[in-house]
Amino acid sequence: MAESQSPEPARETIDGQSPAQAAQTLGRLPPEQIETLLGQMPHDEAMAVAAQLPGVAAALAGDEASEQATEAAAAEIDATIDELLAAAPAVLDSSKTAAEAVAFLVQSQAVAQITYIFVVDDEKLVGVVGMRDIVLAKPGQPLSEIMVKEPFAFKSGTGVDAAVRAALARHYPVYPVVDDQGRLLGCVRGWQLFQRVVVEVTAQAGAQVGVSREEQVNTSILAAFRMRHPWLQVNLLTAFAAAFVVSMFEDTITQIVALAAFLPVLAGQSGNTGCQALAITLRGLTLGQLDEYPVRKLLRKEILLGALNGVVVGIVAGVAMWLYASYSGEPNAIMLGLVILVAMVGACTGSGIFGVVVPLTLKRVGADPAMASSIFLTTFTDILGMGLMLFLASSILL
């Protein structure tokens, strides 16, 4: 374990170092000391150093994939922005003029910390004025005429995870914080939100952000085997279930040989449809998007997408079955094509449902959705797709 250093010597050490060197020095310190030292640095310097710390470099640079990783890291932080709240350095009444605002700035001892002037009316935040607006305004203009009205503000009690998602979308340097009545409580600087994520990541000693029991890239072979193999045994059992369903229609396959050629086609298409829905659901779980986006709305979307994809793919597969059955001398070639079309629509629609329900169910019972979802999804789509096709063929053609 690396030795911790007191903040004072570490601050002297990183003075004059490049951001990468300073980040390497800070990386040997406990998280609380990193937070203290970053808070002592100027804004630009703190951002440059934070961007070099492990796990957040690309996210702070704005890369889309890494922004998602930053959101995932923030989702693990059980804290609110109230912990980061600071007094707003510039708060003026809406009736003040631009000239009075300039006089306030000149007399302020914390002018270097002022990014915006927060405009209030009876202590309620009503607008924000940037420095450029002050410079370009006429001296006698009231702030109410030049301010940005109804500015974005965090509500007191907002979680750090939600705040980071908002910061990634807006990139404001400072965010006002208000209470439920809209009264200004203070402000939070954008870089402090990312600093909070940096501290959380470094505190995890290199662990991947996300569910702690998930396998990491540096997990040992034996440990990875213990994590993966039980699910493969489950997969074997579920495969037997799919095989049992097919065996129930053995006579149908014997009499209509063309169906055997299209079993893997149907299973593959329904499986791919389910995997697409699964990927979107897992992404929503990881980034916390399902906290704001209703599950029923996602489910409705995947059902419609599955049905639409099933119709388009089913038409192509139905025509292919009709041609294949006609070439093979099978009677009722047109009906076989219709069976494939209906089965494809049903299978793809059901696969969309499974792609949403399976990971959500596994998460609720405490299992790892990323590790186990594909096993159950494959089984359900195989049983539904092949079972529906063989049932329709048996009912209609035999």
Side-chain angles (χ1 to χ4, degrees), residues 58 62-69:
D63 178 77
E64 180 180 354
S66 296
E67 284 185 1
Q68 295 177 354

Side-chain angles (χ1 to χ4, degrees), residues 81-82 84-92 115-120 123-129 148-159 163 166-167 170-180 182-193:
I81 58 170
D82 297 72
L84 307 175
L85 189 65
V91 181
L92 293 176
T115 304
Y116 302 123
I117 293 177
F118 298 113
V119 184
V120 298
E123 298 184 352
K124 294 184 178 181
L125 180 67
V126 295
V128 170
V129 179
V148 175
K149 298 179 180 180
E150 299 181 358
F152 173 83
F154 288 130
K155 288 288 186 66
S156 176
T158 299
R170 293 175 173 83
H171 301 287
Y172 299 156
V174 182
Y175 297 87
V177 180
V178 299
D179 61 14
D180 292 337
R183 292 189 295 264
L184 182 66
L185 300 177
C187 64
V188 173
R189 297 191 176 274
W191 69 271
Q192 289 180 303
L193 295 172

Side-chain angles (χ1 to χ4, degrees), residues 187-385:
C187 64
V188 173
R189 297 191 176 274
W191 69 271
Q192 289 180 303
L193 295 172
F194 293 104
Q195 171 188 305
R196 187 68 174 81
V197 178
V198 171
V199 172
E200 183 69 16
V201 173
T202 54
Q204 295 173 0
Q208 177 185 358
V209 174
V211 182
S212 59
R213 61 180 172 271
E214 287 183 348
E215 180 185 342
Q216 317 296 325
V217 295
N218 59 351
T219 301
S220 66
I221 294 178
L222 183 59
F225 175 79
R226 288 198 298 266
M227 292 179 186
R228 297 186 190 186
H229 187 72
W231 290 116
L232 295 179
Q233 292 290 349
V234 173
N235 186 43
L236 184 61
L237 294 176
T238 56
F240 287 153
F244 173 75
V245 171
V246 174
S247 68
M248 293 174 60
F249 298 95
E250 185 175 353
D251 291 341
T252 302
I253 298 175
T254 302
Q255 297 180 54
I256 309 175
V257 181
L259 292 174
F262 277 77
L263 284 175
V265 174
L266 191 65
Q269 288 298 325
S270 60
N272 288 336
T273 302
C275 285
Q276 290 175 339
L278 173 64
I280 296 301
T281 305
L282 288 176
R283 183 181 300 169
L285 285 172
T286 301
L287 302 182
Q289 294 172 342
L290 293 184
D291 296 337
E292 303 172 358
Y293 193 87
V295 173
R296 63 179 181 278
K297 189 174 181 180
L298 175 61
L299 195 58
R300 183 165 60 247
K301 169 188 171 183
E302 294 302 332
I303 290 174
L304 292 175
L305 279 173
L308 181 59
N309 286 323
V311 170
V312 176
V313 175
I315 291 174
V316 176
V319 172
M321 169 59 93
W322 170 65
L323 294 174
Y324 179 76
S326 299
Y327 178 79
S328 302
E330 291 278 358
N332 301 317
I334 295 179
M335 292 303 299
L336 279 173
L338 182 61
V339 165
I340 293 296
L341 170 60
V342 175
M344 190 70 77
V345 173
C348 289
T349 302
S351 297
I353 298 174
F354 293 142
V356 175
V357 173
V358 167
L360 293 178
T361 302
L362 289 174
K363 182 176 177 62
R364 176 163 294 187
V365 300
D368 181 1
M371 186 73 73
S373 292
S374 61
I375 294 173
F376 293 101
L377 178 64
T378 301
T379 301
F380 293 152
T381 55
D382 285 351
I383 291 176
L384 175 63

Side-chain angles (χ1 to χ4, degrees), residues 20-95:
Q21 293 172 331
Q24 185 175 5
T25 301
L26 292 182
R28 296 192 291 267
L29 300 178
E32 60 273 11
Q33 291 190 16
I34 297 177
E35 184 174 7
T36 299
L37 288 167
L38 287 175
Q40 295 173 353
M41 297 179 188
H43 171 265
D44 293 341
E45 181 182 347
M47 286 294 289
V49 173
Q52 299 293 328
L53 287 169
V56 296
L60 293 177
D63 178 77
E64 180 180 354
S66 296
E67 284 185 1
Q68 295 177 354
T70 303
E71 291 179 356
E76 295 299 308
I77 302 175
D78 184 17
T80 67
I81 58 170
D82 297 72
E83 298 180 15
L84 307 175
L85 189 65
V91 181
L92 293 176
D93 190 81
S94 59
S95 62

